[in-house]
Amino acid sequence: MKIVIINYGAGNIQSIKFAIKRLGYEAILSHDIVEIQFADKVIFPGVGEASSAMSKLRASGLDKLIPNLKQPVLGICLGMQLMCHSSEEGDTKGLGIFDVDVIKFTNEVKVPQIGWNQITNLKSELFKNIEDKEHIYLVHSFYAPLCKETIAESEYGIKYSAALAKNNFYGTQFHPEKSSDIGERILENFLKNI
Amino acid sequence: MLAKRIIPCLDIKDGRTVKGVNFVDLRDAGDPVELAEIYSKEGADELVFLDISATEQKRKTLAELVYHVAEKVSIPFTVGGGISSVEDVDVLLHNGADKVSINSSAVKNPQLINDLVAKFGSQCIVVAIDAKQIDGEWIVHLVGGKVPTERKLFEWAKEVEERGAGEILFTSMDHDGTKDGFANEALSKLSTELNIPIIASGGAGNMQHFTDTFVEGKADAALAASVFHFKEIGIKDLKEELKDKGIPVRL
């Protein structure tokens, strides 16, 4: 199985590579369009600011490539947010895969949300053998509200999307690569069962 | 519900853990990677590595350590100690660190916080503040509490938040090492006045201290070193106890 982690200069991608290695697979980091097109599984990471990450995607043509991929794609954290219709962060358009607008948490809660929260209402093979209310690790100030593509919910002041899915596209607001055994099981589900 | 975090802190010198690590089941008591794996298995929510070495090799050794920790450990970790530039942070994050913490360098050059946030995002920038009370006023100190500055804790913390830091790690030098409990009054004030997460540090001696710092101190996370290293408190036991007290934890 050929696994490609899209490398467009956004964030800590080493951890994702290591997590995949712990599961017994090898992933390569690449921004090469052909390499990404011929991967069996694509992981789209991202940490940082949304509008500058979108600029990087546009500069490399990845903004056209990603929405047209046919193999399973997993966006993580900012990666998931960029797959949405738009983001309030830097007021940017997204890739438009998920039909939801990413917005900022209000000041009724501490921002960013940092730490371990629970996922509920799990609705995908991505969460095979994962029980309701397991803890996963998140760090974020912006979120995707609940929508028809929500496959996992979490609650921080309000309920929001902890994960989204549409066709071959998946996105997690949390970091499976940093979510201990539960996170590794979710990554393994993506690699083996999707 | 967002869980309160328990964070063991490991002091690192020349790539090895120092000071009072007393794990009988550790093959190599000075190996930070092995210790990190054990803490991760016991249920630590995060780890902090504080590099106290002062050699010229420091940067390279620390980057290598970060790489090896990231390779093995599936929980987030923060690296601090002598970080003073965008380049320092870039190397650590690229090697697999999730967050970095800055302390003296931020006091000396507050613009560094803005620069780091602009380049890497708030989520990975922790500002550590050491303070102690002088004539009833909390004063920010440098060099592990030895050198007082002119900055007052609450003003500095507010500025740190405004400059974009994602989290504050507050150590009370009055409480550090006393095993008498955390500085809950100051912590509570920080937590109420600021809208970013606050990590409590300094003073952990028993399990009740952790309950107190989450309830009275309104802390979002609690950090400790020796009580964990000497196995005076087991992380799993601590979390069970916190859960019994109605505090949300990850078990």
Side-chain angles (χ1 to χ4, degrees), chain B residues 145-160:
Chain B
K146 291 194 196 89
V147 181
T149 69
E150 295 191 340
R151 291 182 182 276
K152 292 174 185 168
L153 168 65
F154 300 103
E155 287 168 25
W156 173 232
K158 194 80 203 157
E159 182 177 338
V160 161

Side-chain angles (χ1 to χ4, degrees), chain A residues 95-113:
Chain A
L95 299 174
I97 295 165
F98 303 125
D99 190 20
V100 60
D101 297 308
V102 173
I103 55 176
K104 191 167 187 179
F105 282 120
T106 65
N107 280 343
E108 284 156 36
V109 288
K110 289 193 176 185
V111 183
Q113 169 174 228

Side-chain angles (χ1 to χ4, degrees), chain B residues 39-97:
Chain B
Y39 278 133
S40 170
K41 285 199 181 83
E42 284 188 347
D45 296 306
E46 241 178 89
L47 298 166
V48 168
F49 295 88
L50 189 61
D51 190 19
I52 55 168
S53 46
T55 56
E56 282 181 25
Q57 287 292 308
K58 174 178 175 141
R59 282 191 172 80
K60 189 165 168 275
T61 316
L62 186 59
E64 281 170 5
L65 170 65
V66 164
Y67 185 89
H68 291 304
V69 173
E71 208 174 10
K72 299 279 186 188
V73 176
S74 56
I75 59 170
F77 65 97
T78 303
V79 182
I83 296 166
S84 59
S85 69
V86 169
E87 294 72 43
D88 288 348
V89 173
D90 202 23
V91 168
L92 294 171
L93 295 181
H94 265 100
N95 277 284

Side-chain angles (χ1 to χ4, degrees), chain B residues 16-245:
Chain B
R16 311 271 296 165
T17 41
V18 289
K19 151 175 131 176
V21 176
N22 186 21
F23 273 89
V24 281
D25 43 355
L26 208 58
R27 286 192 303 273
D28 174 358
D31 180 2
V33 179
E34 210 186 325
L35 191 57
E37 281 183 274
I38 289 176
Y39 278 133
S40 170
K41 285 199 181 83
E42 284 188 347
D45 296 306
E46 241 178 89
L47 298 166
V48 168
F49 295 88
L50 189 61
D51 190 19
I52 55 168
S53 46
T55 56
E56 282 181 25
Q57 287 292 308
K58 174 178 175 141
R59 282 191 172 80
K60 189 165 168 275
T61 316
L62 186 59
E64 281 170 5
L65 170 65
V66 164
Y67 185 89
H68 291 304
V69 173
E71 208 174 10
K72 299 279 186 188
V73 176
S74 56
I75 59 170
F77 65 97
T78 303
V79 182
I83 296 166
S84 59
S85 69
V86 169
E87 294 72 43
D88 288 348
V89 173
D90 202 23
V91 168
L92 294 171
L93 295 181
H94 265 100
N95 277 284
D98 299 285
K99 301 187 256 188
V100 294
S101 88
I102 53 171
N103 190 337
S104 305
S105 55
V107 174
K108 289 173 191 157
N109 171 25
Q111 177 62 31
L112 179 64
I113 303 171
N114 305 62
D115 295 347
L116 293 176
V117 167
K119 174 129 187 170
F120 307 107
S122 289
Q123 79 290 331
C124 59
I125 306 303
V126 182
V127 174
I129 305 178
D130 297 343
K132 62 175 155 191
Q133 279 183 298
I134 296 175
D135 299 329
E137 186 105 60
W138 282 96
I139 302 295
V140 176
H141 280 63
L142 300 180
V143 205
K146 291 194 196 89
V147 181
T149 69
E150 295 191 340
R151 291 182 182 276
K152 292 174 185 168
L153 168 65
F154 300 103
E155 287 168 25
W156 173 232
K158 194 80 203 157
E159 182 177 338
V160 161
E161 177 182 37
E162 280 160 7
R163 288 179 181 275
E167 244 176 331
I168 287 177
L169 166 58
F170 167 57
T171 304
S172 162
M173 306 313 298
D174 292 332
H175 295 72
D176 201 29
T178 63
K179 298 202 170 186
D180 235 1
F182 294 90
N184 293 326
E185 208 175 310
L187 280 160
S188 167
K189 193 170 172 195
L190 282 174
S191 204
T192 310
E193 289 185 0
L194 271 58
N195 203 47
I196 55 176
I198 309 290
I199 306 168
S201 158
N206 59 41
M207 293 202 203
Q208 185 62 39
H209 293 154
F210 287 88
T211 303
D212 292 344
T213 204
F214 291 132
V215 176
E216 292 163 28
K218 300 188 178 77
D220 298 284
L223 175 143
S226 61
V227 287
F228 297 139
H229 300 330
F230 289 108
K231 287 206 164 171
E232 290 163 23
I233 298 177
I235 290 176
K236 198 160 183 301
D237 297 340
L238 172 60
K239 288 184 141 188
E240 297 279 0
E241 162 102 1
L242 291 169
K243 192 187 171 204
D244 287 345
K245 296 270 169 75

